Amino acid sequence: MESATTVTMPSLDDPGLSKQDVAERQADGRGNAVKASSSRSIVDIIRANVFTLFNGIILGAMVLVLLTGSWKDAVFGVVIIVNTGIGIVTELKSKRTLDKLSILVASDYLVHRDGADMEVPHDDIVLDDLLWIRSGEQVPADGTIVETWGLELDESMLTGESRTVRKKAGNEVYSGSTAVSGMALIRVTAVGEHSYAAKITAEAKVFKKTTSDLNKGINTILKVMTFIVVPLCVLLVWSQMNAVGGWSHALATGQWRQAVVSAVAGVVGMIPEGLVLLTSLNFAVAAMRLARKNTLVQELESVETLARVDCLNLDKTGTITDGGITFNELRMLDDDEDEANAKQALFDLSNEEQPNGTGKAVLEGLGREGFAGGAVQARVPFSSARKWSAIVSHTGTWYMGAPEVIISALNGDYGNVLDMVTENANEGNRVLLIAHRSGQPAEDFAENPRLDATARPVALVLCSERIRSDAESTLQWFREQGVRCRIISGDNPVTVGAIARKVKLTGDREPVYMDARELPDDIDELAKVLQNVDVLGRVLPNQKKAVVQALHKDDHVVAMTGDGVNDALALKEADLGIAMGNAAPATKSIAQVVLVDSKFSHLPDVVARGRQVMANMERVASLFLVKTVYSALISLGVVLTQIPFPYLPRHITYLGALTIGVPAFILALAPNTRRYIPGFLKRVVLFALPGGIAVALSVLLSTWLLPGIMHWDMANAADLTQLRALNAIILFVLGILVLARVAQPLTGWRGLMVLGFTVIGAAGVAIPFVRHFFALIVPRGSTLMATLVVLAVSIAIFLLCVGTARVLAMRRQARKAAKG
């Protein structure tokens, strides 16, 4: 939709495209619209979360139990609905974030068509259009400058360089850059998906799931259990049918129902269904806690990732610095010149109608010292072409600008001044020179501004990028945690190196900086170079991505911070992308974590929350895996010895809730600052094996030996119920011992938690409704005596298994130490 505009623009000989030209280009796809879609549709997301192996096993088991009519033994299936819901909601949120990804700001733009200027929406710009780029506008498409009226572009979102770039006729301009001053007419050379910004967007929008050690470990457990569960399930059904008199008898008498429920008890116990649910919930709770500290977690698994990070790549602008300029000092060069006069002149030189960033910093700094605007008789505003500005006051003519430009126009040798300029620039300063000439200037000074060769340098103006107050302390924290930080910037490496020195990036050691133009293209060679480099300057967007890839070659876990489009590809490539709140929309959409208030100091909070998740979920996984181990071993024992299954699914539901489920939730949310140690899955398995073996051995011995000792007939429903209820007591007591081991140290609230669940479990048996619903008993008489004996033996077995495992672990460590 185009509309005529009343804005008066320079007259042009070229009429631009005609309506027919525009229509033809729009019809054949040469318009500026970019198709917005993520790589996963809503249907794909729902399918991926609903149709999982885990859900299939649990759902199948639940349906089988419901077919038997024993709905009380099917309550374990509720976890499917909850866990699937969490997964779908999380991925739909990620999809919405990806679909909103857009580098370009949607607005109307001025084009020249049919000899007239008119405003059109972003998407209606077509190839070969004559497009006006005015100050404050974002370039919507790639193009070549036809004519310019002092156009200066901020390309930091594309290149990472914080300085503005002055453009000339014939220069290329790219979508995503912003006009900061002047104006230009460009001919559009690339639109839509072919433009620079759209290409970066398309590459960045590729769906990539955050890698989670927790989820990888849990999925490995599930995969292994799947190979065990499927054949064991078949064998369990077969063995339970034989236990009730064979298939024919079971089907004829209806005892097949009991056999199916018994088989499901083994299958459900082997799947750590609560662990999957608790992992999702724990990530979600951690994300909500971080949100209270203005940290937005866009992918839940990412709260874990930073706990594993050992390399942190930092973008300078927006992370170490806040993008602003600060006035440091006025360094006098001429002892005969009055410093107060020089400062007043500096204030007046900066006090233009629209001062740039440096001017604003000077006005703010000198304003705090009590300076205010003075009487200015004439003014020559700053110009990028001249590289200097000037004023005339009662004290004479004052010039301020680029040192090399001013000195080259002066009489005399001022090489020593240029040396001072270089020295201060190498320390991270932006250096301007003030020159002074006494007396009045030429009458045509304002109309024909020129540098007077008789002026002399009197002072250096030292400014620098404003460093965040929290940068140094945050970097120190990361050094203490063993995380290697590097600054990667598009700016001059000397300048960036000086800033790195100021914030003590490498502590007391001098940071090593390097120009990225000298980096090798080969990733393996790049990895070797990066081992000895702390700061990279003049880095291009693709090089930032290559740096991350090179660090991955050395098996580093890499986090990357950024705020510009030039950071987007590297953020996507990193294990964890972190964007500042004032970042480009594309960068924030790609990042897994967004520091909403742009405070670098929030990163330690993210690390601490990630460590809490990792350390606590290791405890929780150990707790769940004990159940998986003993369920698999008991099922194997049942199949091999053709005995009735020792307990019911409802027993596992009750005991699992008190000794695993609810305690695990409490432990998962407890404070924990332990540093991440690689080897999560190995440690979990080694912890779970002795406990699982002890529980399985105790329950199987009880089931094999007690019927003979107590003269129970396993064909009799009442005797079988007694045996299963007694085994449930064994499971509960040993479950409490496992919980006590996981919750160590048992001081304070941890000890009270273990004691509390012990009391709740015992008290539940005394409540008739709970006792009947979960098929529990209160042992009496000879059954009580048998229970006490069996419990004593079971505890002894447990202590023996755990003690043996501890001795073996100590020997293993001793052998490693000896080899080391």
Side-chain angles (χ1 to χ4, degrees):
M1 184 71 183
E2 57 188 46
S3 59
T5 179
T6 58
V7 178
T8 303
M9 305 299 289
S11 59
L12 302 174
D13 295 332
D14 191 333
L17 299 178
S18 66
K19 284 187 177 180
Q20 183 179 347
D21 294 332
V22 172
E24 288 175 356
R25 283 162 173 76
Q26 288 176 337
D28 61 16
R30 287 181 285 172
N32 206 34
V34 180
K35 184 180 178 181
S37 64
S38 67
S39 60
R40 285 163 68 88
S41 66
I42 294 176
V43 173
D44 289 336
I45 290 171
I46 294 174
R47 185 188 298 120
N49 281 276
V50 172
F51 300 105
T52 65
L53 185 60
F54 162 73
N55 284 355
I57 293 172
I58 297 296
L59 182 63
M62 184 177 72
V63 169
L64 281 174
V65 173
L66 289 174
L67 288 175
T68 68
S70 182
W71 65 271
K72 294 177 183 178
D73 286 307
V75 291
F76 59 82
V78 175
V79 74
I80 294 178
I81 300 169
V82 180
N83 200 54
T84 301
I86 290 173
I88 291 173
V89 169
T90 302
E91 288 210 33
L92 284 177
K93 181 182 175 184
S94 296
K95 173 182 167 56
R96 283 197 301 272
T97 302
L98 286 168
D99 286 347
K100 289 176 183 175
L101 179 55
S102 175
I103 292 174
L104 302 176
V105 179
S107 58
D108 289 342
Y109 291 88
L110 194 64
V111 296
H112 189 75
R113 294 174 181 171
D114 283 323
D117 295 318
M118 57 193 66
E119 288 189 340
V120 299
H122 169 276
D123 289 359
D124 287 356
I125 297 169
V126 298
L127 191 68
D128 301 321
D129 247 332
L130 286 176
L131 172 68
W132 292 102
I133 301 297
R134 296 169 288 182
S135 179
E137 290 183 335
Q138 189 179 42
V139 180
D142 298 354
T144 303
I145 293 180
V146 176
E147 194 169 351
T148 177
W149 290 264
L151 178 69
E152 290 189 23
L153 291 180
D154 176 1
E155 297 180 337
S156 61
M157 286 295 180
L158 304 177
T159 66
E161 286 199 63
S162 55
R163 67 183 181 87
T164 57
V165 181
R166 189 172 180 84
K167 294 292 184 178
K168 300 177 182 177
N171 288 166
E172 297 293 320
V173 296
Y174 297 101
S175 54
S177 53
T178 303
V180 293
S181 66
M183 181 177 69
L185 179 72
I186 72 168
R187 187 173 298 279
V188 175
T189 57
V191 291
E193 61 186 16
H194 302 292
S195 70
Y196 184 83
K199 287 176 181 177
I200 293 180
T201 306
E203 190 170 343
K205 285 178 72 171
V206 176
F207 183 86
K208 175 189 152 192
K209 191 77 171 174
T210 301
T211 301
S212 165
D213 250 21
L214 282 177
N215 284 339
K216 280 171 63 179
I218 291 166
N219 288 336
T220 301
I221 293 169
L222 288 175
K223 287 176 183 176
V224 171
M225 291 315 302
T226 301
F227 285 108
I228 298 173
V229 164
V230 174
L232 261 184
C233 182
V234 174
L235 291 172
L236 273 174
V237 171
W238 172 74
S239 68
Q240 294 309 291
M241 287 295 187
N242 289 338
V244 295
W247 285 84
S248 299
H249 178 73
L251 293 172
T253 61
Q255 287 186 302
W256 64 271
R257 294 183 175 86
Q258 178 187 328
V260 168
V261 171
S262 297
V264 167
V267 172
V268 171
M270 282 185 276
I271 301 296
E273 74 283 353
L275 180 58
V276 181
L277 171 60
L278 192 57
T279 303
S280 302
L281 286 174
N282 199 22
F283 282 146
V285 171
M288 287 187 284
R289 286 178 173 175
L290 286 170
R292 297 192 194 109
K293 295 189 177 183
N294 288 316
T295 302
L296 173 64
V297 176
Q298 302 198 115
E299 290 184 29
L300 296 184
E301 291 86 349
S302 61
V303 297
E304 167 221 315
T305 309
L306 198 46
R308 299 185 285 111
V309 164
D310 59 359
C311 282
L312 177 58
N313 293 345
L314 303 166
D315 183 41
K316 173 182 66 67
T317 307
T319 303
I320 304 298
T321 64
D322 62 9
I325 305 297
T326 183
F327 169 64
N328 295 330
E329 66 171 305
L330 182 70
R331 188 166 295 175
M332 299 301 294
L333 301 173
D334 190 338
D335 295 335
D336 296 331
E337 192 70 47
D338 183 64
E339 185 175 349
N341 284 342
K343 285 188 174 181
Q344 183 62 56
L346 173 59
F347 189 97
D348 293 334
L349 283 160
S350 304
N351 195 22
E352 296 185 349
E353 186 176 343
Q354 289 185 326
N356 56 23
T358 303
K360 290 176 182 176
V362 169
L363 293 174
E364 183 181 345
L366 292 179
R368 286 196 295 267
E369 295 182 26
F371 287 90
V376 176
Q377 299 168 12
R379 177 184 297 277
V380 176
F382 180 80
S383 161
S384 295
R386 283 190 302 268
K387 300 291 185 185
W388 57 268
S389 61
I391 60 165
V392 178
S393 69
H394 70 282
T395 57
T397 305
W398 297 84
Y399 303 90
M400 178 177 72
E404 63 277 10
V405 174
I406 293 178
I407 286 178
S408 66
L410 303 182
N411 294 332
D413 181 12
Y414 294 108
N416 62 322
V417 175
L418 289 176
D419 289 341
M420 291 178 65
V421 169
T422 303
E423 182 182 339
N424 283 285
N426 288 344
E427 292 177 0
N429 291 296
R430 293 186 178 187
V431 186
L432 297 174
L433 177 70
I434 294 181
H436 179 224
R437 178 190 177 279
S438 300
Q440 294 299 309
E443 291 184 2
D444 64 343
F445 178 72
E447 293 76 23
N448 184 24
R450 56 195 178 277
L451 282 163
D452 193 311
T454 62
R456 70 183 190 280
V458 296
L460 295 180
V461 182
L462 304 182
C463 296
S464 63
E465 289 189 70
R466 191 162 55 229
I467 295 173
R468 293 184 181 276
S469 59
D470 53 13
E472 184 176 336
S473 58
T474 306
L475 288 169
Q476 180 183 350
W477 188 89
F478 277 111
R479 283 199 310 275
E480 292 170 352
Q481 302 303 313
V483 177
R484 174 79 179 273
C485 294
R486 291 179 178 84
I487 298 179
I488 300 177
S489 173
D491 275 344
N492 187 306
V494 176
T495 303
V496 184
I499 291 174
R501 191 182 308 113
K502 287 182 180 179
V503 295
K504 296 184 178 178
L505 175 72
T506 53
D508 296 330
R509 177 174 64 81
E510 185 75 9
V512 178
Y513 60 84
M514 182 177 179
D515 193 316
R517 289 173 293 188
E518 300 172 10
L519 290 175
D521 294 329
D522 181 75
I523 295 295
D524 293 318
E525 289 297 317
L526 178 57
K528 293 177 183 177
V529 171
L530 289 175
Q531 291 175 5
N532 302 310
V533 175
D534 305 301
V535 175
L536 285 172
R538 306 291 189 204
V539 187
L540 299 174
N542 284 333
Q543 285 182 307
K544 289 190 176 186
K545 178 181 176 181
V547 166
V548 176
Q549 291 173 331
L551 292 172
H552 281 157
K553 279 279 185 180
D554 285 342
D555 296 324
H556 291 296
V557 180
V558 184
M560 173 85 194
T561 70
D563 63 350
V565 173
N566 62 300
D567 302 315
L569 299 180
L571 260 65
K572 195 72 178 178
E573 186 69 26
D575 299 283
L576 185 70
I578 306 164
M580 298 295 151
N582 56 3
T587 309
K588 287 192 285 190
S589 298
I590 291 164
Q592 291 96 339
V593 174
V594 178
L595 305 180
V596 178
D597 55 6
S598 300
K599 288 187 177 179
F600 179 40
S601 55
H602 287 321
L603 283 184
D605 290 331
V606 181
V607 174
R609 195 61 62 196
R611 287 181 175 175
Q612 176 187 335
V613 170
M614 287 295 288
N616 286 341
M617 287 308 298
E618 186 171 316
R619 289 178 183 266
V620 169
S622 302
L623 201 56
F624 277 97
L625 199 57
V626 169
K627 179 171 74 79
T628 298
V629 171
Y630 73 64
S631 296
L633 293 176
I634 289 172
S635 298
L636 185 61
V638 166
V639 168
L640 293 176
T641 57
Q642 298 290 295
I643 56 174
F645 205 84
Y647 48 81
L648 297 170
R650 71 184 80 174
H651 289 149
I652 287 293
T653 302
Y654 179 73
L655 303 173
L658 293 176
T659 62
I660 301 174
V662 181
F665 187 80
I666 296 171
L667 288 171
L669 301 180
N672 198 326
T673 57
R674 192 196 78 185
R675 289 181 62 182
Y676 172 72
I677 305 167
F680 161 79
L681 184 58
K682 181 180 179 182
R683 287 194 302 277
V684 167
V685 171
L686 290 176
F687 179 94
L689 281 176
I693 291 170
V695 174
L697 197 54
S698 300
V699 170
L700 286 173
L701 285 174
S702 165
T703 309
W704 289 332
L705 302 177
L706 266 183
I709 296 171
M710 300 297 294
H711 306 294
W712 287 338
D713 181 6
M714 291 298 93
N716 183 291
D719 288 346
L720 182 57
T721 299
Q722 278 218 91
L723 175 64
R724 284 173 167 167
L726 192 149
N727 283 333
I729 294 172
I730 295 172
L731 287 173
F732 175 71
V733 172
L734 295 186
I736 290 294
L737 290 178
V738 171
L739 175 60
R741 189 175 169 222
V742 167
Q744 288 179 346
L746 297 177
T747 53
W749 67 268
R750 295 178 188 274
L752 291 174
M753 179 192 70
V754 175
L755 179 62
F757 283 110
T758 304
V759 173
I760 292 170
V765 180
I767 301 172
F769 171 75
V770 175
R771 186 168 63 248
H772 294 308
F773 188 94
F774 290 104
L776 303 171
I777 65 166
V778 178
R780 293 184 177 86
S782 60
T783 303
L784 175 59
M785 184 59 67
T787 302
L788 293 174
V789 172
V790 169
L791 283 177
V793 173
S794 298
I795 292 171
I797 292 172
F798 182 84
L799 295 175
L800 178 64
C801 289
V802 171
T804 303
R806 188 172 288 125
V807 170
L808 292 174
M810 291 172 64
R811 287 182 178 175
R812 199 163 49 246
Q813 287 178 354
R815 283 197 300 270
K816 281 185 180 179
K819 289 180 181 178

